[in-house]
Amino acid sequence: MQDKLWVEFGGWYLVSIDILLIIGIFYFLKLPKEKKANSFYWLPFFILAFTVFYENLGGYTNYNFEFNKAVNAFLGNTEYPRYNLWLFNITHTHIATILYLFLIRSWLEPSKKKYINWMIIFFAVVVQVLQISGIEPIYLDQPIISTIGANMIIIGSGLYFIGLMNNDQYLAANPLRLLSFWQMTFILFTYSLTYITSVSLLYIYTLYPQLATSLHYINLVMGVLNLIILVLTVASPQLPKLFEKEPDYDSNLNSA
C-alpha cells in the first residue's frame, strides 16, 4: 500500500509542482492587499493552485481504484473503470484551457481582447455539444475538443506576439525581461505539443510507444516550466530588478 502511494505521489513531477505551489503561496501571501485583488497576480496563482490540485487528484484516482470506478460508473463508463480521463478532460482539457485563454487575454491590448472572449464562448459551447451528443464522452479521449482548445491557445498566443512586434510600448521594452513574453513562449510550445499529440494520440501510442513516452515526458517538463513562470509572476514584486513593467493597457495590467 505504501509502495503504491509513493509511486503515485512520490514521482519527480508531482513533487516538483507541489513545491512550486508552496513557493507560490508564500509569495502570494506577501503581496499587498490591493495586489492580491489584481488579476495580474491572482489569476496566475489560481491557475497554479488549480493545476497542482487536479494533478494530485489524478494521482489519487490511480491510487484509489474504487473511487475512480464509482465516478466512471456514474458517468456511464463501466467498460474501462480504471480510466481517469474524465478528470483530466474536465480539469485540463476544459477548465485549464479557458483559464489560459483568460490569462492570454490579460496580456492583450483592449482591441484584441474581444477575440479571446468569443473563443471562450465558442469553446464552452463546443465542449457541451460534443459531450451531450455522445461524440466525445467525458470519460474517453477527446481529440476534437483538445485540438480546438490547443488551436485557440495558439491563436491567442499569436495575437500576443503580433502586439509584441507592432505595439510601441512593447517595442520600447526588452522582451527577455517581460513576464508576458516568457509566459506566452512556454504556453505556445506546450499547446503546440498538445495539438500534435491530441490529433494522433492513439496512433502514436499504438505504433510508436517510445515516441509517445518521450512526448509525454516533454509535456511534463513544459508543464513544470509553465508553473515556474506563474510563480515568478506572483513573486515579481519581490524581484524588481529582474523584470520590466508590462504595458499598462488598462487597470488590470499594473506594474509588478
Side-chain angles (χ1 to χ4, degrees):
M1 185 71 71
Q2 290 182 345
D3 290 341
K4 185 177 180 182
L5 188 67
W6 175 254
V7 169
E8 297 301 337
F9 295 99
W12 70 268
Y13 176 68
L14 282 184
V15 171
S16 298
I17 65 175
D18 288 343
I19 292 173
L20 288 174
L21 177 59
I22 294 172
I23 297 172
I25 292 173
F26 172 78
Y27 280 107
F28 186 76
L29 292 177
K30 291 186 67 174
L31 290 174
K33 185 177 180 180
E34 64 275 9
K35 289 187 182 294
K36 289 179 182 176
N38 190 331
S39 62
F40 183 92
Y41 300 103
W42 69 255
L43 181 56
F45 176 74
F46 181 78
I47 295 174
L48 168 67
F50 180 70
T51 303
V52 176
F53 164 74
Y54 75 70
E55 291 288 1
N56 278 277
L57 185 56
Y60 179 76
T61 57
N62 288 328
Y63 172 74
N64 190 337
F65 170 72
E66 292 302 323
F67 170 76
N68 193 36
K69 179 181 178 181
V71 174
N72 272 297
F74 175 77
L75 296 173
N77 177 25
T78 56
E79 187 176 358
Y80 307 104
R82 291 191 177 276
Y83 284 11
N84 62 357
L85 284 170
W86 61 269
L87 170 64
F88 290 99
N89 284 337
I90 295 172
T91 56
H92 175 72
T93 306
H94 305 167
I95 299 177
T97 296
I98 292 175
L99 289 175
Y100 274 110
L101 284 172
F102 274 117
L103 182 63
I104 293 171
R105 183 184 181 277
S106 71
W107 299 122
L108 300 180
E109 55 188 312
S111 63
K112 293 186 174 65
K113 292 180 186 292
K114 61 184 177 181
Y115 301 117
I116 303 298
N117 294 339
W118 284 111
M119 286 182 194
I120 292 172
I121 295 172
F122 177 77
F123 181 72
V125 171
V126 167
V127 167
Q128 297 305 314
V129 170
L130 290 178
Q131 290 184 155
I132 293 174
S133 65
I135 295 175
E136 290 199 339
I138 197 170
Y139 50 80
L140 295 178
D141 187 37
Q142 296 185 323
I144 298 176
I145 294 175
S146 297
T147 301
I148 292 173
N151 271 295
M152 289 184 173
I153 295 290
I154 292 171
I155 292 171
S157 300
L159 292 175
Y160 167 81
F161 285 108
I162 290 173
L164 186 70
M165 293 183 290
N166 295 330
N167 187 277
D168 291 338
Q169 296 185 63
Y170 275 123
L171 291 173
N174 178 1
L176 297 180
R177 295 188 61 193
L178 292 175
L179 277 165
S180 60
F181 172 80
W182 291 108
Q183 188 72 79
M184 291 302 99
T185 298
F186 285 114
I187 288 176
L188 179 61
F189 277 112
T190 300
Y191 277 87
S192 296
L193 179 63
T194 298
Y195 175 79
I196 295 171
T197 56
S198 63
V199 171
S200 56
L201 180 64
L202 294 178
Y203 173 79
I204 294 175
Y205 269 99
T206 301
L207 298 181
Y208 304 101
Q210 291 184 336
L211 174 60
T213 301
S214 298
L215 290 174
H216 176 67
Y217 182 82
I218 294 172
N219 192 47
L220 294 180
V221 172
M222 293 303 300
V224 172
L225 292 174
N226 269 321
L227 295 186
I228 289 174
I229 301 299
L230 295 176
V231 172
L232 288 173
T233 302
V234 176
S236 58
Q238 310 298 321
L239 307 168
K241 296 183 179 180
L242 188 59
F243 300 108
E244 290 186 9
K245 177 183 176 181
E246 297 288 337
D248 190 8
Y249 292 128
D250 52 40
S251 59
N252 289 326
L253 278 177
N254 294 328
S255 109

